[in-house]
Amino acid sequence: MIISPSLGYGEVFGALENATATLGRKVNPTLYTPFDITRRQAQDNAFVTRVLQQPKIWLIGTEEELNAPSA
Amino acid sequence: MPHPLENLSGPGKPLKAEAPDAKEFAGLLRSGLARLKDAGNTTLALESRFDLAYNAAHSLSLAALRRLGYRAGNRYLVFQVLPHTLGLGPEVWRVLDKCHNTRNLGEYEGLLEVDERLVTDLIAATQAVLDALQAKTA
């Protein structure tokens, strides 16, 4: 899951192609803008709720940043 | 070395050889152009724009495959062979492949999760297919 105001799927898939080859499996990212993730949290979206409840490996950012009021 | 499309075709394989048909190609191109144009209509619901852009991408990708004399047994295959039909990279075909899965979740499981981001990127990827196809046929 990637949260970014500007990153597009094309850019992400382009960047992930080497990882896909290394891992030998399809990497399937989900991209949200800060607005989208806030809206989905408010709507109790099943996927978002599940991901946020489970343990995560943060590649960039922190739990605190995600929960900050201005995020 | 045989063309990758040739390796994928034959009995028990996902592609089959079928001579190109100018009328079919023109029909697929026309349908793709019309739907891609309407997908940009922001007065429509996001779900409708997604459907229009997805179907445009399918028509145009199928046109590219038919142009080379093949037909696919699966819808998703026309996207996966875009590197071979139009020389397009993962920044295009993987986006369309993702949208195919999104579309299936919506059609068969009632879970159509589209947002502005995905529709914008789907339209951009479909435009890239159209540009590559028109460059080949110009």
Side-chain angles (χ1 to χ4, degrees):
Chain A
M1 184 188 282
I2 298 173
I3 303 167
S4 161
S6 57
L7 204 59
Y9 274 103
E11 293 168 281
V12 172
F13 277 114
L16 282 174
E17 198 57 12
N18 282 339
T20 301
T22 308
L23 295 168
R25 67 182 288 272
K26 195 153 109 179
V27 182
N28 187 13
T30 295
L31 225 59
Y32 292 127
T33 60
F35 173 78
D36 284 331
I37 189 119
T38 308
R39 188 169 52 94
R40 281 179 161 79
Q41 276 178 282
Q43 290 170 343
D44 210 16
N45 173 279
F47 173 69
V48 167
T49 307
R50 205 168 62 236
V51 170
L52 293 181
Q53 278 170 353
Q54 285 172 355
K56 289 171 280 299
I57 297 171
W58 291 84
L59 300 177
I60 301 172
T62 62
E63 188 103 39
E64 288 70 36
E65 278 177 65
L66 181 65
N67 293 328
S70 60
Chain B
M1 211 173 95
H3 195 274
L5 294 176
E6 204 178 314
N7 285 332
L8 285 168
S9 74
K13 294 190 179 170
L15 294 184
K16 66 174 184 164
E18 185 182 319
D21 179 309
K23 244 181 159 169
E24 182 191 8
F25 181 86
L28 289 168
L29 184 60
R30 192 171 54 240
S31 156
L33 276 167
R35 294 188 214 204
L36 179 58
K37 181 165 174 277
D38 284 354
N41 181 346
T42 53
T43 63
L44 298 176
L46 210 50
E47 286 83 352
S48 304
R49 297 176 59 205
F50 177 84
D51 283 353
L52 285 164
Y54 170 81
N55 283 305
H58 186 263
S59 292
L60 296 169
S61 302
L62 177 59
L65 183 63
R66 292 290 300 116
R67 180 180 158 268
L68 296 177
Y70 296 95
R71 185 180 290 285
N74 287 307
R75 289 181 70 86
Y76 64 81
L77 213 68
V78 301
F79 303 131
Q80 295 191 351
V81 295
L82 281 170
H84 309 304
T85 56
L86 293 174
L88 293 169
E91 72 286 354
V92 175
W93 81 263
R94 289 230 186 247
V95 175
L96 299 177
D97 188 60
K98 180 182 178 72
C99 289
H100 174 79
N101 293 325
T102 302
R103 171 244 182 208
N104 279 4
L105 279 174
E107 297 286 309
Y108 302 120
E109 295 178 36
L111 258 179
L112 189 61
E113 291 240 2
V114 299
D115 50 39
E116 200 79 49
R117 168 87 274 147
L118 191 64
V119 173
T120 303
D121 295 349
L122 168 58
I123 290 174
T126 308
Q127 184 67 49
V129 173
L130 175 64
D131 292 346
L133 188 62
Q134 286 184 327
K136 292 265 184 200
T137 54

